[in-house]
Structures are given as C-alpha cells and as structure tokens.
Amino acid sequence: MSILSKHHNKTLLIGILLTGLALTGCSKGGATKDASADKTANSEVLEKDKKEKPAVPVEVTSVTRGDIQQTYRTITTLQAEQEAQVVARTSGILEMLHVEEGDMVKKGQILAQLDVEQLTLELEQLKAGLQKLEGELKRQNSLFKRKLGSNDSLEKVRFDHQAQLAQYKLAKLKLNYASIKAPISGVITERMVKSGNMIRDNDFLFKIVNPQSLKAILHLPERELSNIKKGQKILLQVDAFSDQVISGNIERIRPLIDSDTGTFKVVAKLDNSKNILHAGMFGKVEVVFEVHTDSLLLEQQALVTQDNRSHVFVVRENKAIQTPIEIGFKHNGVVEITSGLQENDRVITTGQQILKHENKVEIIGDETAEQLAEKDKLKESSSATTATSKIAANP
C-alpha cells in the first residue's frame, strides 16, 4: 500500500469519530432539556396541591324548634311541715308495740299499749264511789224539797259528788291514754322504746312524719328576688332516685334578706304522691323562671365565642360559612338562637375550632336525603321479598 493510501484511511477514521462525538453531544443536550421540562411540570403540580388544601372532617347538627326555659339551680334539704313527737300521757309498763319504723299510720291509730290492770281497778273504785254519792245527792235533794234537810248538807253532798265525778273522768282519761295513738297520719320514722319498758309521763315514744307535707327549703341570692314568684315550677332530683325528676311549685317567699348570707328563704310544695321522698333528703333544684316556646334551638357545643361575641359555622355547598349569632336562654347544653340562623340549618359541632371562613369541609357520618330514601326503598323491598317468601312457603 502506498503512503497516500494510508494517509487517506487515517483521515476517514478521524472524520467518522468526530461525527459520532457530535451526535452524542446532541443526544445529551436533548435529554437535559426534557428533564428540565419534567421538573418544571412537577413544581407546578406541587404548588397547585399546596393551594388546594384538603377538606376538614367535621360533625354537624341541625337547628330545631322547641321549648326552652330559664332556670336557677341551687340545693335544698327537704323538711316536713307535719311532724309529731308522740309522748306518753300516762305511766305504765309498755305491754305491746303495734307498729315499727317505716310503717304508714293514720291519725288515731293505736301504736302501742300500756298495761291497764291498775288503771282499770282504780276506775272501778272511783265509779263505785261516784254511784254512792249520786244516791246520797238524790236523797238530800228529796229531803231539802220536803224541808226535812238543811241546805248545808245538800251543798256538801253536791260538792263531794262533783269532786268524785272529776276523779272518775280523770281515771277514765288515763285509761284511754294507755292506748298510745297517732296524733297525725304519716310514717313512723323513729321508735324510741321497747316492749317491757317502764313508761312515764312525757316520755318520747315515736316520731311521725307526714311525707305529703314535705317542702323544699331554698335560699336564693338577693339578685333573684325580682325573678321569683308564687306558683313558679321547680324540678327536684335527689341522690337516692337520681333518674327521677320530681316537680313542685313555689308556695311561700319570705320578703326578708338575711344580712349575714345575702339570701332570702323560699318554700316550695312537692308532688310526693309516690312516697319516695323523705325528710332530711338532700336534693338539687332548678327553679323555672320563664319558658320560651317554639324557639330555635342549637347544641351549645357548636358555639365559638371570641371577645364576648358568638358565632357558628354553617355548612353550605361543602364550605364552612362563619355566621354571627345572638343567643337567649341556655339550658342543659342547649341554647336559644334569637338571630343569625334558620330552622334546619346544618351547624358544625365538632372541628369548628380550627376552621376559617369558607374552608372546605367533609361531613362525617352525614347521610344525604337521597341516601336515606334509597335505604327506605331497600327496606321496603326486603320486607316485600320476605312476605312473598312466606306466602310461597305457605300457599
């Protein structure tokens, strides 16, 4: 091969290598541009995601209509206005007990019996002496009318007869007192004697309380004097029957403020027809000052209060709309809405503390009207299928 041929081949090889390098450079440049474009697109997506925040999960309730009352809460101790200590009115051995603690008794019912043997004998002795004096009085009257006896003799016999009659009546009364009787109707709350005890005059034997005369004694602060009125309703709960509410009415209001406590006394009559209340019970009382009927009502937990102003978040088109409201009465976790809302508005009750106006929300546990209607249709269809199956099984 000649020198020229070798030189020509070398030149051709160098040209091929340079062409390959150029093509490689072009390929790398295109890939770099594509990667840059992808990075820009991803940044735009992330930025868009940042702007579109996810919906906040919330729970809602509806504004309803109903009655709500303004009340004052306090405590009370129940007292009976009809209460009696049964005492002995004569002496003797307690022979028999007819009642026990907790028994209901009526006025005049015999509670216990004293031994009457001695009293009976004393009464018979006095009766015999009285009969003798009655005969002597008749004889002296006859002699005086016939002018055979003196006036002094007649007056002496008459005096002796009256004294004997008084002693006889007293002995008869003591015999009657030997049967211990209930002075009022009620419940035996205490028995302070036993059979065989020696009973003396004025010994305490029983305590009787009339449960129908129980009163709730309240002591209200001076500022409530203008709100309280006779006949107002009260609601009572006692620890022994915490699941029951006993009603009553204000009966008396003492128009005197205690200078030491700044309170005034109120007495309320109670409905104890079931006889579940007893004297001395401790209870919680609500005095119902006023009732508003057919009011817009909302759960109190839905309210957000800032700077002594209240607002709520109403759900409209899946957005939380901050809505200022005005409230009236509050009672048992429910508030009266006087302005700002309408009946059936859906108000957020859980999650509202982190919301801002027009935040997107997702209602948890909420079913649309269409979903509820679909459920009803499925129930009806299921019932019809069941009925058809029963008919087919029992032609």
Side-chain angles (χ1 to χ4, degrees):
M1 182 179 294
S2 65
I3 296 172
L4 289 174
S5 296
K6 290 182 179 179
H7 180 74
H8 177 74
N9 291 338
K10 187 175 181 181
T11 303
L12 182 62
L13 181 61
I14 291 170
I16 292 169
L17 289 173
L18 289 174
T19 302
L21 289 173
L23 291 172
T24 302
C26 290
S27 176
K28 286 183 179 180
T32 302
K33 288 180 181 179
D34 290 343
S36 178
D38 290 343
K39 186 175 181 181
T40 302
N42 290 335
S43 298
E44 289 177 356
V45 171
L46 290 173
E47 189 67 27
K48 186 177 181 181
D49 289 342
K50 287 181 181 179
K51 291 181 180 178
E52 295 182 3
K53 293 184 179 179
V56 179
V58 296
E59 292 181 353
V60 300
T61 189
S62 295
V63 179
T64 59
R65 282 197 176 274
D67 300 344
I68 191 168
Q69 53 199 17
Q70 181 188 26
T71 64
Y72 179 83
R73 296 184 178 183
T74 185
I75 57 175
T76 183
T77 301
L78 305 187
Q79 298 180 12
E81 291 201 334
Q82 293 182 20
E83 182 178 295
Q85 292 272 10
V86 182
V87 299
R89 304 176 73 177
T90 188
S91 300
I93 301 297
L94 184 59
E95 192 173 68
M96 186 177 295
L97 285 168
H98 295 291
V99 295
E100 275 296 343
E101 293 177 350
D103 289 349
M104 289 288 299
V105 298
K106 294 182 178 181
K107 183 177 180 179
Q109 181 178 334
I110 296 177
L111 309 178
Q113 181 65 53
L114 301 183
D115 179 26
V116 297
E117 183 178 0
Q118 182 178 349
L119 293 174
T120 303
L121 292 174
E122 290 177 355
L123 184 64
E124 290 296 328
Q125 183 181 17
L126 290 169
K127 185 178 180 180
L130 181 62
Q131 290 174 344
K132 180 181 178 180
L133 287 172
E134 284 177 350
E136 180 64 20
L137 181 59
K138 288 180 181 180
R139 192 178 72 84
Q140 288 295 331
N141 273 324
S142 178
L143 291 174
F144 183 76
K145 287 179 181 179
R146 289 182 293 162
K147 297 183 180 180
L148 297 175
S150 66
N151 184 55
D152 291 341
S153 298
L154 178 61
E155 289 298 322
K156 182 179 182 303
V157 172
R158 185 178 291 163
F159 176 79
D160 291 342
H161 175 266
Q162 289 177 346
Q164 188 74 7
L165 179 61
Q167 289 182 9
Y168 173 77
K169 288 181 178 180
L170 182 60
K172 190 175 181 179
L173 188 61
K174 286 183 177 181
L175 182 62
N176 185 51
Y177 285 161
S179 298
I180 312 299
K181 298 178 182 178
I184 63 171
S185 297
V187 178
I188 303 294
T189 58
E190 288 186 68
R191 174 178 61 81
M192 291 160 274
V193 290
K194 299 177 181 179
S195 295
N197 287 172
M198 178 62 193
I199 305 300
R200 295 179 175 81
D201 283 352
N202 298 320
D203 281 352
F204 288 103
L205 308 179
F206 302 94
K207 183 178 180 180
I208 302 176
V209 173
N210 183 357
Q212 301 305 318
S213 71
L214 286 177
K215 309 289 183 182
I217 309 301
L218 316 177
H219 295 276
L220 304 185
E222 179 182 353
R223 65 177 180 273
E224 303 298 343
L225 185 59
S226 60
N227 293 325
I228 199 78
K229 297 177 181 63
K230 287 184 179 180
Q232 284 177 331
K233 187 177 181 180
I234 73 162
L235 303 173
L236 170 71
Q237 281 186 301
V238 294
D239 292 339
F241 303 96
S242 57
D243 59 333
Q244 298 190 42
V245 177
I246 296 94
S247 61
N249 297 93
I250 300 299
E251 189 175 63
R252 300 194 301 272
I253 303 169
R254 180 185 289 178
L256 177 66
I257 306 298
D258 188 323
S259 58
D260 294 329
T261 62
T263 62
F264 61 98
K265 182 180 177 181
V266 176
V267 178
K269 184 179 180 181
L270 299 170
D271 177 12
N272 192 27
S273 55
K274 296 181 180 178
N275 290 326
I276 63 174
L277 301 178
H278 303 286
M281 276 185 168
F282 175 85
K284 300 174 183 177
V285 173
E286 274 190 294
V287 183
V288 182
F289 289 150
E290 191 176 353
V291 178
H292 284 177
T293 59
D294 197 33
S295 299
L296 290 176
L297 306 179
L298 178 66
E299 294 179 17
Q300 188 170 350
Q301 66 176 6
L303 271 61
V304 179
T305 303
Q306 295 176 342
D307 299 328
N308 295 324
R309 295 181 179 179
S310 296
H311 67 266
V312 296
F313 286 95
V314 180
V315 177
R316 293 194 176 96
E317 297 180 355
N318 294 325
K319 291 184 179 181
I321 306 302
Q322 183 173 327
T323 307
I325 60 169
E326 293 184 5
I327 60 176
F329 291 169
K330 298 179 181 179
H331 187 251
N332 288 344
V334 176
V335 296
E336 177 188 25
I337 305 299
T338 58
S339 68
L341 295 176
Q342 295 181 354
E343 187 176 1
N344 297 323
D345 278 348
R346 294 195 301 172
V347 181
I348 297 173
T349 57
T350 303
Q352 71 273 28
Q353 300 295 341
I354 61 173
L355 291 175
K356 292 183 179 179
H357 184 57
E358 293 191 344
N359 277 167
K360 286 188 175 181
V361 294
E362 178 185 358
I363 300 174
I364 305 300
D366 186 53
E367 292 182 316
T368 63
E370 291 79 6
Q371 290 173 325
L372 293 174
E374 187 64 27
K375 280 189 174 183
D376 290 339
K377 287 181 181 178
L378 289 173
K379 287 181 181 178
E380 291 175 2
S381 176
S382 176
S383 299
T385 303
T386 303
T388 304
S389 300
K390 287 182 177 179
I391 292 170
N394 300 286

